[in-house]
Amino acid sequence: MDNVAVVVDDIEAAIAFFTELGMELEGEAQIEGVWADRTVGLDGVRSAIAMMRTPDGHGKLELTKFHTPAAITAGPSAPPPNTLGLHRVMFAVDDIDDTIARLRRHGAELLGEVAQYENTYRLCNLRGPAGIIVALAERIG
């Protein structure tokens, strides 16, 4: 897998959010032209992208802000965790409580609560940029 793309309405806020999670901004670009239209399957594509890289360099998240055509919301703006389709992105963290506190400063909202799975993990789900669900996992065992 090369990357997972997330369409956002505020790319700078999304960059700040994922940087707070420890990701690094690899690069930014403006995307437009016939090749973009053909690739995406839309006419008149003009978008900004930011490629975020995990610290180990193995995972990437592409943040995309569509200027034209404008992004649309399909269904509820904050779909519940049992919605069909791409569900969430999970990040391993060293300190889940500290990470939650830092992400709240970027608008994250905790869904449910932090729960412990056996003696192995502390886990939670947060609502992040553009309403996506971001899961956190802290290994404890």
Side-chain angles (χ1 to χ4, degrees):
M1 182 175 78
D2 185 71
N3 71 67
V4 173
V6 176
V7 176
V8 298
D9 55 354
D10 185 338
I11 198 162
E12 296 305 322
I15 291 169
F17 181 91
F18 288 105
T19 298
E20 193 70 56
L21 265 171
M23 297 191 84
E24 301 166 7
L25 180 62
E26 184 174 88
E28 296 180 80
Q30 298 298 315
I31 307 298
E32 61 186 311
V34 173
W35 71 271
D37 293 357
R38 289 180 178 163
T39 301
V40 176
L42 296 171
D43 292 325
V45 170
R46 190 171 61 80
S47 63
I49 66 166
M51 191 64 72
M52 306 295 295
R53 180 183 59 241
T54 57
D56 64 8
H58 295 294
K60 294 181 186 178
L61 190 65
E62 178 186 302
L63 304 173
T64 303
K65 160 73 175 161
F66 277 90
H67 298 291
T68 59
I72 59 169
T73 301
S77 62
N82 61 340
T83 302
L84 292 174
L86 185 61
H87 174 63
R88 60 147 172 85
V89 178
M90 180 176 272
F91 293 88
V93 298
D94 294 328
D95 182 336
I96 200 167
D97 297 311
D98 176 64
T99 304
I100 292 167
R102 289 185 292 113
L103 293 178
R104 279 188 168 143
R105 293 192 297 263
H106 295 275
E109 298 175 26
L110 189 63
L111 301 177
E113 57 188 64
V114 177
Q116 186 167 320
Y117 173 71
E118 297 179 352
N119 290 322
T120 311
Y121 287 100
R122 293 180 70 217
L123 304 159
C124 73
N125 284 336
L126 300 166
R127 181 83 54 199
I132 66 166
I133 296 174
V134 175
L136 304 177
E138 175 188 351
R139 187 167 191 75
I140 57 173

